[in-house]
Amino acid sequence: MRLYKFTTVLTPEEENGEVYYQVSVPALPEIVTFGESVEEAVFMAQDALELVIESRLEDGETIPVNKRASKVSKGSIVRDILVSVTHSVNTTPFTPNVKLAFA
């Protein structure tokens, strides 16, 4: 298990009179999620971070270092989020001269 810490920015947005929080992660710009409350936005950020980190590890990609937000909109909340990811690679050794059956 490995721990990763990333800075997230929760930006309040309003749509049809309802407030929600859009989440961005400066170090991982592919992560964009939201929550209807700060707590839900943080949960969604944790979930997205775990999925992206696991995916990058499975694909052999590097995990970027944490990056602070360069600009933060007024009213935004900046939170450091810690996630733990367990990653293992399971392989089957190649055995020559073994016939593989594909369905």
Side-chain angles (χ1 to χ4, degrees):
M1 177 177 63
R2 179 140 185 225
L3 296 175
Y4 297 90
K5 181 174 87 172
F6 285 97
T7 299
T8 61
V9 180
L10 287 64
T11 305
E13 303 283 341
E14 188 175 335
E15 186 175 297
N16 300 327
E18 299 288 325
V19 175
Y20 67 94
Y21 293 86
Q22 183 173 334
V23 178
S24 61
V25 182
L28 295 162
E30 65 266 35
I31 294 178
V32 179
T33 188
F34 73 96
E36 294 180 357
S37 66
V38 171
E39 294 80 16
E40 184 181 24
V42 168
F43 175 82
M44 297 300 287
Q46 288 171 322
D47 188 49
L49 280 165
E50 288 172 5
L51 291 171
V52 167
I53 291 168
E54 286 175 354
S55 176
R56 282 179 170 242
L57 291 171
E58 286 176 9
D59 292 343
E61 297 176 21
T62 59
I63 307 301
V65 295
N66 188 29
K67 186 190 298 185
R68 294 280 183 204
S70 57
K71 294 180 183 178
V72 178
S73 303
K74 184 177 180 178
S76 294
I77 301 166
V78 178
R79 288 257 176 105
D80 285 336
I81 294 182
L82 190 65
V83 294
S84 63
V85 175
T86 303
H87 178 258
S88 63
V89 177
N90 298 318
T91 61
T92 304
F94 175 72
T95 308
N97 300 323
V98 173
K99 214 173 208 180
L100 301 176
F102 294 97

XYZ file of all heavy atoms in Angstrom:
801
model
N 0.852 -1.174 0.000
C 0.000 0.000 0.000
C 0.895 1.235 0.000
O 1.896 1.295 0.691
C -0.898 -0.009 1.230
C -1.749 1.224 1.336
S -2.899 1.221 2.722
C -1.811 1.173 4.105
N 0.489 2.205 -0.781
C 1.247 3.444 -0.862
C 0.290 4.607 -0.668
O -0.849 4.582 -1.139
C 1.930 3.547 -2.218
C 2.713 4.810 -2.367
C 4.011 4.630 -3.063
N 4.698 5.914 -3.022
C 5.309 6.459 -4.034
N 5.377 5.815 -5.159
N 5.884 7.615 -3.929
N 0.760 5.645 0.011
C -0.050 6.838 0.233
C 0.340 7.926 -0.756
O 1.523 8.129 -1.034
C 0.137 7.349 1.657
C -0.328 6.419 2.769
C 0.040 7.002 4.126
C -1.816 6.185 2.677
N -0.663 8.627 -1.248
C -0.460 9.746 -2.165
C -1.240 10.940 -1.640
O -2.373 10.790 -1.201
C -0.969 9.405 -3.569
C -0.239 8.264 -4.222
C -0.679 6.955 -4.062
C 0.878 8.497 -5.012
C -0.018 5.901 -4.663
C 1.545 7.445 -5.617
C 1.094 6.152 -5.444
O 1.754 5.112 -6.044
N -0.627 12.116 -1.701
C -1.308 13.328 -1.257
C -1.380 14.298 -2.436
O -0.371 14.580 -3.081
C -0.560 13.983 -0.099
C -1.251 15.243 0.418
C -0.579 15.793 1.647
C 0.528 16.724 1.241
N 1.126 17.467 2.355
N -2.581 14.795 -2.691
C -2.788 15.742 -3.778
C -3.632 16.909 -3.312
O -4.584 16.738 -2.538
C -3.466 15.072 -4.976
C -2.545 14.184 -5.753
C -2.524 12.829 -5.538
C -1.672 14.723 -6.692
C -1.666 12.008 -6.236
C -0.807 13.913 -7.405
C -0.802 12.548 -7.170
N -3.287 18.067 -3.802
C -4.059 19.270 -3.538
C -5.257 19.278 -4.472
O -5.125 19.032 -5.671
C -3.196 20.524 -3.780
O -2.100 20.479 -2.880
C -3.992 21.791 -3.558
N -6.423 19.566 -3.920
C -7.643 19.691 -4.716
C -8.240 21.069 -4.482
O -8.028 21.693 -3.449
C -8.686 18.619 -4.326
O -9.030 18.781 -2.957
C -8.152 17.224 -4.568
N -8.982 21.523 -5.470
C -9.664 22.813 -5.374
C -11.153 22.558 -5.560
O -11.571 22.000 -6.571
C -9.153 23.811 -6.430
C -9.879 25.139 -6.312
C -7.638 24.000 -6.315
N -11.942 22.952 -4.563
C -13.389 22.818 -4.615
C -13.962 24.205 -4.876
O -13.844 25.100 -4.035
C -13.924 22.272 -3.292
C -13.671 20.799 -2.972
C -12.203 20.494 -2.828
C -14.432 20.398 -1.755
N -14.524 24.382 -6.044
C -15.044 25.685 -6.453
C -16.566 25.659 -6.435
O -17.176 24.852 -7.140
C -14.548 26.047 -7.871
O -13.113 25.962 -7.882
C -14.986 27.429 -8.279
N -17.187 26.529 -5.631
C -18.655 26.545 -5.600
C -19.214 27.087 -6.913
O -18.717 28.061 -7.461
C -18.987 27.465 -4.431
C -17.776 28.285 -4.195
C -16.608 27.518 -4.727
N -20.217 26.411 -7.417
C -20.918 26.803 -8.637
C -22.408 26.804 -8.321
O -22.858 26.063 -7.452
C -20.634 25.824 -9.783
C -19.167 25.645 -10.123
C -18.589 26.787 -10.927
O -19.375 27.551 -11.530
O -17.357 26.928 -10.948
N -23.154 27.614 -9.044
C -24.600 27.646 -8.841
C -25.294 27.371 -10.162
O -24.927 27.913 -11.199
C -25.036 29.004 -8.291
C -26.499 29.016 -7.896
C -26.909 30.319 -7.240
O -26.057 31.005 -6.673
O -28.107 30.639 -7.329
N -26.291 26.493 -10.079
C -27.079 26.163 -11.263
C -28.521 25.968 -10.818
O -28.800 25.158 -9.936
C -26.535 24.895 -11.918
C -27.214 24.561 -13.230
C -26.558 23.371 -13.903
O -25.371 23.470 -14.247
O -27.254 22.354 -14.069
N -29.422 26.724 -11.406
C -30.846 26.648 -11.064
C -31.084 26.833 -9.562
O -31.908 26.143 -8.963
C -31.454 25.321 -11.531
C -31.354 25.133 -13.023
O -31.415 26.092 -13.795
N -31.169 23.900 -13.449
N -30.344 27.732 -8.959
C -30.510 28.013 -7.547
C -29.870 27.008 -6.615
O -29.922 27.147 -5.405
N -29.262 25.956 -7.153
C -28.602 24.923 -6.349
C -27.090 25.151 -6.387
O -26.521 25.423 -7.436
C -28.904 23.525 -6.905
C -30.367 23.157 -6.902
C -30.896 22.883 -5.507
O -30.137 22.338 -4.683
O -32.061 23.225 -5.244
N -26.448 25.029 -5.246
C -24.995 25.160 -5.169
C -24.375 23.771 -5.172
O -24.847 22.869 -4.497
C -24.569 25.920 -3.890
C -23.059 25.950 -3.756
C -25.130 27.331 -3.903
N -23.339 23.615 -5.972
C -22.538 22.393 -5.960
C -21.078 22.801 -6.006
O -20.745 23.961 -6.246
C -22.923 21.448 -7.113
C -22.591 21.982 -8.491
C -21.393 21.640 -9.109
C -23.465 22.821 -9.169
C -21.079 22.129 -10.373
C -23.161 23.304 -10.427
C -21.966 22.952 -11.032
O -21.658 23.438 -12.265
N -20.180 21.847 -5.761
C -18.756 22.129 -5.723
C -18.042 21.343 -6.812
O -18.069 20.112 -6.811
C -18.170 21.775 -4.348
C -18.708 22.679 -3.273
C -19.909 22.386 -2.630
C -18.043 23.839 -2.931
C -20.423 23.224 -1.662
C -18.546 24.688 -1.959
C -19.734 24.378 -1.328
O -20.237 25.219 -0.383
N -17.453 22.073 -7.736
C -16.665 21.450 -8.792
C -15.266 21.201 -8.250
O -14.683 22.062 -7.597
C -16.592 22.336 -10.024
C -15.836 21.692 -11.159
C -15.910 22.494 -12.434
O -16.853 23.250 -12.641
N -14.928 22.344 -13.286
N -14.738 20.016 -8.510
C -13.427 19.624 -7.986
C -12.424 19.547 -9.123
O -12.702 18.973 -10.171
C -13.504 18.239 -7.299
C -12.133 17.808 -6.800
C -14.520 18.248 -6.180
N -11.249 20.119 -8.885
C -10.138 19.961 -9.826
C -8.887 19.604 -9.036
O -8.780 19.901 -7.847
C -9.926 21.234 -10.642
O -9.613 22.316 -9.802
N -7.968 18.943 -9.714
C -6.703 18.526 -9.114
C -5.593 19.067 -10.000
O -5.397 18.572 -11.113
C -6.614 16.984 -9.000
C -5.314 16.560 -8.332
C -7.814 16.425 -8.254
N -4.870 20.106 -9.567
C -3.850 20.725 -10.426
C -2.818 19.741 -10.994
O -2.429 19.867 -12.155
C -3.188 21.753 -9.505
C -4.257 22.107 -8.523
C -5.013 20.824 -8.296
N -2.396 18.747 -10.221
C -1.389 17.798 -10.691
C -1.956 16.771 -11.667
O -1.211 16.158 -12.428
C -0.737 17.082 -9.519
N -3.263 16.578 -11.648
C -3.925 15.593 -12.514
C -5.116 16.266 -13.192
O -6.264 16.103 -12.781
C -4.381 14.389 -11.692
C -3.262 13.559 -11.053
C -3.804 12.681 -9.942
C -2.560 12.726 -12.110
N -4.853 17.039 -14.248
C -5.929 17.811 -14.877
C -7.045 16.969 -15.493
O -8.120 17.491 -15.767
C -5.202 18.635 -15.936
C -3.907 17.949 -16.162
C -3.568 17.233 -14.896
N -6.813 15.675 -15.663
C -7.872 14.829 -16.222
C -8.979 14.573 -15.209
O -10.056 14.109 -15.567
C -7.308 13.496 -16.741
C -6.723 12.583 -15.685
C -5.214 12.724 -15.496
O -4.689 13.833 -15.619
O -4.573 11.704 -15.218
N -8.739 14.888 -13.946
C -9.761 14.696 -12.914
C -10.634 15.937 -12.823
O -10.162 17.022 -12.514
C -9.137 14.409 -11.534
C -8.403 13.071 -11.566
C -10.210 14.417 -10.447
C -7.718 12.711 -10.264
N -11.896 15.753 -13.111
C -12.904 16.794 -12.920
C -14.148 16.072 -12.416
O -14.669 15.189 -13.072
C -13.221 17.545 -14.225
C -14.301 18.594 -13.984
C -11.986 18.211 -14.798
N -14.571 16.429 -11.218
C -15.755 15.815 -10.632
C -16.465 16.878 -9.815
O -16.037 18.031 -9.796
C -15.386 14.565 -9.792
O -16.578 13.889 -9.405
C -14.527 14.912 -8.600
N -17.541 16.511 -9.151
C -18.256 17.491 -8.346
C -19.033 16.788 -7.245
O -19.188 15.575 -7.244
C -19.211 18.330 -9.202
C -20.429 17.579 -9.661
C -21.614 17.668 -8.947
C -20.393 16.780 -10.785
C -22.742 16.968 -9.348
C -21.510 16.078 -11.202
C -22.692 16.177 -10.477
N -19.523 17.588 -6.315
C -20.378 17.095 -5.249
C -21.381 18.157 -4.875
O -21.139 19.349 -5.079
N -22.506 17.737 -4.329
C -23.555 18.683 -3.940
C -23.270 19.335 -2.594
O -23.975 20.249 -2.195
C -24.907 17.981 -3.948
C -25.318 17.565 -5.350
C -26.650 16.854 -5.398
O -27.265 16.605 -4.334
O -27.086 16.533 -6.513
N -22.244 18.853 -1.897
C -21.790 19.447 -0.636
C -20.267 19.330 -0.619
O -19.680 18.598 -1.425
C -22.390 18.717 0.560
O -21.889 17.391 0.618
N -19.644 20.022 0.326
C -18.180 19.915 0.445
C -17.790 18.478 0.744
O -16.856 17.926 0.141
C -17.651 20.882 1.532
C -16.176 20.621 1.817
C -17.878 22.324 1.123
N -18.505 17.831 1.649
C -18.195 16.451 2.027
C -18.304 15.512 0.828
O -17.451 14.641 0.628
C -19.125 15.971 3.150
C -18.942 16.704 4.460
C -19.632 18.078 4.503
O -20.496 18.369 3.651
O -19.285 18.862 5.407
N -19.370 15.666 0.044
C -19.544 14.809 -1.129
C -18.467 15.101 -2.169
O -17.948 14.181 -2.805
C -20.934 14.998 -1.748
C -21.173 14.048 -2.911
C -22.539 14.215 -3.558
O -23.136 15.308 -3.461
O -22.996 13.242 -4.171
N -18.104 16.363 -2.349
C -17.058 16.726 -3.309
C -15.719 16.106 -2.907
O -14.982 15.596 -3.757
C -16.944 18.238 -3.421
N -15.403 16.122 -1.619
C -14.161 15.510 -1.134
C -14.195 14.003 -1.374
O -13.216 13.403 -1.840
C -13.930 15.831 0.357
C -12.808 14.977 0.937
C -13.612 17.310 0.530
N -15.324 13.359 -1.092
C -15.466 11.923 -1.337
C -15.269 11.608 -2.817
O -14.557 10.658 -3.173
C -16.845 11.429 -0.875
C -17.090 9.991 -1.220
C -16.584 8.972 -0.419
C -17.816 9.659 -2.354
C -16.797 7.631 -0.755
C -18.036 8.321 -2.694
C -17.524 7.315 -1.884
N -15.891 12.392 -3.685
C -15.766 12.179 -5.127
C -14.319 12.384 -5.586
O -13.824 11.664 -6.452
C -16.714 13.106 -5.887
C -18.188 12.845 -5.596
S -18.725 11.179 -6.030
C -18.740 11.322 -7.812
N -13.644 13.362 -4.988
C -12.238 13.608 -5.321
C -11.378 12.414 -4.916
O -10.509 11.977 -5.674
C -11.750 14.878 -4.640
N -11.613 11.877 -3.718
C -10.860 10.705 -3.258
C -11.069 9.525 -4.206
O -10.116 8.849 -4.596
C -11.294 10.302 -1.846
C -10.838 11.247 -0.787
C -11.464 10.953 0.568
O -12.641 10.586 0.661
N -10.680 11.121 1.618
N -12.309 9.293 -4.588
C -12.631 8.194 -5.483
C -11.938 8.377 -6.835
O -11.331 7.448 -7.360
C -14.154 8.101 -5.658
C -14.578 6.866 -6.426
O -14.106 5.763 -6.085
O -15.385 7.007 -7.363
N -12.018 9.576 -7.384
C -11.389 9.849 -8.683
C -9.874 9.707 -8.595
O -9.243 9.140 -9.502
C -11.769 11.245 -9.165
N -9.279 10.204 -7.522
C -7.828 10.074 -7.348
C -7.409 8.608 -7.300
O -6.445 8.212 -7.964
C -7.375 10.786 -6.075
C -7.220 12.292 -6.178
C -7.140 12.925 -4.785
C -5.990 12.646 -6.994
N -8.114 7.801 -6.537
C -7.781 6.374 -6.455
C -7.856 5.713 -7.827
O -6.958 4.962 -8.214
C -8.708 5.667 -5.474
C -8.441 6.014 -4.034
C -9.481 5.456 -3.075
O -10.376 4.703 -3.521
O -9.405 5.781 -1.878
N -8.910 5.995 -8.573
C -9.087 5.381 -9.893
C -8.000 5.809 -10.873
O -7.442 4.982 -11.599
C -10.465 5.720 -10.459
C -11.645 5.073 -9.750
C -12.952 5.655 -10.260
C -11.619 3.570 -9.942
N -7.674 7.092 -10.896
C -6.659 7.586 -11.831
C -5.279 7.042 -11.465
O -4.522 6.613 -12.335
C -6.666 9.134 -11.890
C -5.438 9.670 -12.602
C -7.930 9.620 -12.587
N -4.955 7.019 -10.183
C -3.650 6.497 -9.761
C -3.536 5.011 -10.097
O -2.530 4.567 -10.662
C -3.422 6.759 -8.261
C -3.233 8.262 -8.019
C -2.206 5.987 -7.756
C -3.280 8.681 -6.567
N -4.567 4.236 -9.776
C -4.544 2.805 -10.110
C -4.401 2.592 -11.607
O -3.635 1.737 -12.054
C -5.805 2.119 -9.597
C -5.828 1.916 -8.108
C -7.144 1.336 -7.596
O -8.104 1.193 -8.388
O -7.203 1.028 -6.399
N -5.125 3.357 -12.400
C -5.053 3.235 -13.853
C -3.656 3.563 -14.371
O -3.109 2.845 -15.219
C -6.088 4.165 -14.502
O -5.972 4.124 -15.897
N -3.067 4.642 -13.862
C -1.719 5.016 -14.286
C -0.704 3.937 -13.908
O 0.189 3.620 -14.697
C -1.313 6.354 -13.683
C -1.937 7.533 -14.395
C -1.526 8.834 -13.732
N -1.913 9.960 -14.542
C -1.062 10.837 -15.065
N 0.224 10.737 -14.833
N -1.496 11.826 -15.806
N -0.831 3.386 -12.712
C 0.091 2.332 -12.300
C -0.059 1.094 -13.173
O 0.935 0.488 -13.581
C -0.126 1.986 -10.823
C 0.288 3.055 -9.821
C -0.180 2.682 -8.414
C 1.788 3.291 -9.844
N -1.291 0.706 -13.467
C -1.523 -0.460 -14.325
C -0.964 -0.259 -15.721
O -0.504 -1.203 -16.350
C -3.015 -0.771 -14.395
C -3.554 -1.389 -13.131
C -5.055 -1.609 -13.158
O -5.683 -1.441 -14.229
O -5.606 -1.941 -12.094
N -1.004 0.978 -16.209
C -0.492 1.279 -17.544
C 1.004 1.577 -17.546
O 1.572 1.912 -18.581
C -1.250 2.470 -18.148
C -2.699 2.139 -18.449
O -3.048 0.930 -18.510
O -3.501 3.072 -18.635
N 1.636 1.493 -16.372
C 3.070 1.745 -16.283
C 3.445 3.217 -16.361
O 4.600 3.555 -16.603
N 2.475 4.083 -16.166
C 2.732 5.521 -16.224
C 3.218 6.015 -14.863
O 2.989 5.384 -13.840
C 1.457 6.275 -16.616
C 0.944 5.920 -17.987
C -0.364 6.619 -18.310
O -0.672 7.648 -17.682
O -1.086 6.112 -19.177
N 3.863 7.163 -14.881
C 4.338 7.742 -13.630
C 3.203 8.492 -12.940
O 2.245 8.926 -13.577
C 5.496 8.723 -13.871
O 5.041 9.762 -14.733
C 6.688 8.026 -14.479
N 3.347 8.637 -11.652
C 2.404 9.421 -10.856
C 3.064 10.772 -10.628
O 4.168 10.837 -10.076
C 2.092 8.744 -9.503
C 1.629 7.297 -9.703
C 1.076 9.561 -8.723
C 0.403 7.122 -10.561
N 2.435 11.851 -11.061
C 3.073 13.165 -10.904
C 3.160 13.579 -9.441
O 2.410 13.097 -8.597
C 2.152 14.107 -11.684
C 0.839 13.428 -11.713
C 1.119 11.951 -11.680
N 4.085 14.478 -9.176
C 4.192 15.022 -7.826
C 3.048 15.999 -7.618
O 2.479 16.542 -8.574
C 5.546 15.728 -7.595
C 6.683 14.730 -7.673
C 5.748 16.853 -8.569
N 2.724 16.218 -6.362
C 1.647 17.137 -6.022
C 1.969 18.535 -6.538
O 3.125 18.948 -6.577
C 1.449 17.165 -4.504
C 0.234 17.957 -4.098
O -0.743 18.050 -4.844
N 0.279 18.537 -2.925
N 0.944 19.246 -6.946
C 1.104 20.601 -7.453
C 0.069 21.492 -6.780
O -1.106 21.149 -6.719
C 0.888 20.611 -8.965
C 1.175 21.939 -9.618
C 0.726 22.015 -11.062
C 1.409 21.042 -11.972
N 1.020 21.250 -13.385
N 0.515 22.607 -6.280
C -0.396 23.581 -5.683
C -1.134 24.321 -6.784
O -0.621 24.492 -7.889
C 0.370 24.585 -4.827
C 0.999 23.964 -3.611
C -0.043 23.800 -2.562
N 0.513 23.272 -1.330
C -0.201 22.623 -0.460
N -1.474 22.408 -0.661
N 0.329 22.179 0.640
N -2.325 24.797 -6.476
C -3.103 25.580 -7.437
C -2.451 26.947 -7.615
O -2.102 27.601 -6.638
C -4.533 25.730 -6.947
N -2.276 27.366 -8.864
C -1.656 28.668 -9.111
C -2.664 29.799 -8.953
O -2.314 30.885 -8.512
C -1.024 28.710 -10.501
O -1.989 28.417 -11.485
N -3.918 29.546 -9.310
C -4.981 30.537 -9.150
C -6.173 29.859 -8.498
O -6.560 28.764 -8.887
C -5.413 31.105 -10.496
C -4.361 31.914 -11.204
C -4.891 32.437 -12.520
C -3.815 33.196 -13.263
N -4.286 33.679 -14.560
N -6.729 30.525 -7.518
C -7.898 29.986 -6.831
C -8.984 31.052 -6.847
O -8.750 32.187 -6.420
C -7.556 29.590 -5.377
C -8.788 29.085 -4.656
C -6.454 28.554 -5.356
N -10.152 30.699 -7.352
C -11.272 31.632 -7.404
C -11.740 31.984 -6.001
O -11.641 31.170 -5.071
C -12.450 31.016 -8.161
O -12.071 30.646 -9.447
N -12.295 33.173 -5.860
C -12.829 33.604 -4.573
C -13.924 32.633 -4.147
O -14.782 32.251 -4.939
C -13.396 35.017 -4.699
C -13.872 35.584 -3.389
C -14.356 37.005 -3.539
C -14.817 37.520 -2.193
N -15.257 38.906 -2.273
N -13.877 32.225 -2.891
C -14.872 31.297 -2.364
C -14.490 29.836 -2.513
O -15.152 28.960 -1.966
N -13.422 29.555 -3.257
C -12.982 28.167 -3.432
C -12.328 27.646 -2.166
O -11.798 28.405 -1.362
C -11.995 28.058 -4.594
O -12.630 28.346 -5.812
N -12.366 26.355 -2.015
C -11.767 25.682 -0.870
C -10.617 24.833 -1.385
O -10.789 24.039 -2.311
C -12.805 24.798 -0.153
C -13.980 25.647 0.317
C -12.166 24.030 0.991
C -15.188 24.838 0.731
N -9.444 24.995 -0.787
C -8.285 24.193 -1.166
C -8.075 23.143 -0.080
O -7.998 23.477 1.103
C -7.030 25.074 -1.325
C -5.812 24.221 -1.664
C -7.254 26.141 -2.392
N -8.031 21.882 -0.504
C -7.866 20.774 0.441
C -6.783 19.829 -0.071
O -6.752 19.492 -1.248
C -9.149 19.957 0.557
C -10.264 20.618 1.283
C -10.391 20.041 2.692
N -11.400 20.723 3.452
C -12.593 20.241 3.722
N -12.945 19.071 3.282
N -13.436 20.942 4.460
N -5.947 19.376 0.846
C -5.039 18.281 0.524
C -5.765 16.994 0.862
O -6.338 16.861 1.945
C -3.750 18.382 1.340
C -2.831 19.480 0.835
O -2.931 19.850 -0.351
O -2.006 19.968 1.621
N -5.758 16.069 -0.088
C -6.448 14.800 0.096
C -5.422 13.682 0.040
O -4.591 13.631 -0.868
C -7.546 14.601 -0.965
C -8.637 15.653 -0.757
C -8.120 13.192 -0.905
C -9.786 15.550 -1.702
N -5.502 12.802 1.012
C -4.609 11.665 1.106
C -5.372 10.414 0.696
O -6.464 10.160 1.201
C -4.121 11.527 2.553
C -3.001 10.555 2.838
C -1.713 11.005 2.157
C -2.790 10.451 4.335
N -4.812 9.661 -0.238
C -5.438 8.402 -0.656
C -4.399 7.286 -0.557
O -3.209 7.514 -0.741
C -6.009 8.456 -2.096
C -7.156 9.418 -2.197
C -4.954 8.799 -3.109
N -4.877 6.097 -0.258
C -3.991 4.931 -0.238
C -4.380 4.019 -1.389
O -5.563 3.801 -1.649
C -4.089 4.192 1.094
O -5.383 3.694 1.276
N -3.358 3.536 -2.076
C -3.598 2.677 -3.229
C -2.729 1.434 -3.087
O -1.534 1.525 -2.812
C -3.254 3.413 -4.551
C -3.382 2.483 -5.736
C -4.146 4.628 -4.719
N -3.350 0.299 -3.241
C -2.625 -0.967 -3.266
C -2.571 -1.411 -4.708
O -3.596 -1.515 -5.374
C -3.351 -2.029 -2.414
O -3.481 -1.521 -1.090
C -2.591 -3.327 -2.390
N -1.373 -1.634 -5.177
C -1.220 -2.029 -6.575
C -0.307 -3.230 -6.657
O 0.772 -3.248 -6.075
C -0.628 -0.877 -7.395
C -0.404 -1.239 -8.825
N 0.826 -1.540 -9.312
C -1.266 -1.367 -9.856
C 0.724 -1.828 -10.606
N -0.530 -1.733 -10.946
N -0.750 -4.239 -7.350
C 0.100 -5.399 -7.589
C -0.070 -5.824 -9.039
O -1.133 -5.648 -9.630
C -0.269 -6.552 -6.652
O -1.584 -6.981 -6.913
N 0.979 -6.351 -9.585
C 0.950 -6.821 -10.961
C 0.936 -8.340 -10.919
O 1.828 -8.959 -10.341
C 2.179 -6.321 -11.749
C 2.175 -6.868 -13.160
C 2.215 -4.809 -11.750
N -0.100 -8.915 -11.494
C -0.213 -10.369 -11.549
C -0.002 -10.806 -12.984
O -0.743 -10.395 -13.871
C -1.586 -10.828 -11.061
C -1.828 -10.438 -9.620
O -0.931 -10.565 -8.799
N -3.006 -9.960 -9.320
N 1.000 -11.610 -13.204
C 1.276 -12.091 -14.552
C 1.329 -13.604 -14.553
O 1.598 -14.242 -13.541
C 2.612 -11.545 -15.093
O 3.663 -12.005 -14.237
C 2.610 -10.037 -15.146
N 1.095 -14.155 -15.705
C 1.233 -15.583 -15.906
C 2.440 -15.785 -16.800
O 2.510 -15.185 -17.873
C -0.028 -16.157 -16.585
O -1.159 -15.809 -15.776
C 0.063 -17.653 -16.738
N 3.395 -16.586 -16.358
C 4.580 -16.776 -17.194
C 4.215 -17.428 -18.525
O 3.327 -18.272 -18.594
C 5.488 -17.675 -16.370
C 4.708 -18.109 -15.198
C 3.439 -17.339 -15.142
N 4.898 -17.014 -19.552
C 4.682 -17.577 -20.879
C 5.323 -18.952 -20.941
O 6.479 -19.140 -20.552
C 5.293 -16.673 -21.944
C 5.203 -17.252 -23.324
C 3.984 -17.311 -23.983
C 6.327 -17.761 -23.943
C 3.891 -17.859 -25.254
C 6.241 -18.310 -25.212
C 5.021 -18.355 -25.863
N 4.567 -19.912 -21.397
C 5.086 -21.263 -21.577
C 5.028 -21.583 -23.058
O 3.945 -21.665 -23.640
C 4.240 -22.287 -20.786
O 4.143 -21.845 -19.436
C 4.846 -23.658 -20.843
N 6.202 -21.753 -23.698
C 6.194 -22.062 -25.120
C 5.576 -23.438 -25.386
O 5.553 -24.302 -24.515
C 7.677 -22.040 -25.505
C 8.432 -22.068 -24.235
C 7.519 -21.679 -23.140
N 5.076 -23.604 -26.565
C 4.491 -24.859 -27.028
C 3.233 -25.258 -26.266
O 2.894 -26.430 -26.207
C 5.519 -25.998 -26.966
C 6.727 -25.700 -27.826
O 6.605 -25.117 -28.893
N 7.899 -26.053 -27.334
N 2.565 -24.304 -25.659
C 1.297 -24.589 -24.997
C 0.203 -24.003 -25.854
O 0.250 -22.828 -26.213
C 1.243 -24.005 -23.581
C -0.145 -24.160 -22.983
C 2.281 -24.674 -22.702
N -0.760 -24.820 -26.222
C -1.842 -24.382 -27.080
C -2.865 -23.629 -26.230
O -3.305 -24.118 -25.199
C -2.510 -25.578 -27.745
C -3.008 -25.310 -29.115
C -3.480 -26.586 -29.742
C -3.311 -26.414 -31.225
N -3.730 -27.559 -31.958
N -3.209 -22.416 -26.655
C -4.202 -21.622 -25.945
C -5.553 -21.763 -26.607
O -5.653 -21.763 -27.830
C -3.784 -20.148 -25.925
C -2.438 -19.850 -25.261
C -2.116 -18.371 -25.412
C -2.481 -20.221 -23.800
N -6.562 -21.922 -25.822
C -7.920 -22.043 -26.345
C -8.635 -20.721 -26.115
O -8.671 -20.208 -25.006
C -8.666 -23.160 -25.638
N -9.158 -20.145 -27.183
C -9.906 -18.910 -27.081
C -11.353 -19.174 -27.423
O -11.661 -19.861 -28.374
C -9.350 -17.852 -28.059
C -7.957 -17.424 -27.713
C -6.860 -17.986 -28.351
C -7.736 -16.491 -26.730
C -5.576 -17.604 -28.033
C -6.460 -16.101 -26.407
C -5.367 -16.652 -27.051
N -12.224 -18.628 -26.602
C -13.662 -18.842 -26.817
C -14.190 -17.856 -27.821
O -13.713 -16.838 -28.069
C -14.409 -18.696 -25.502
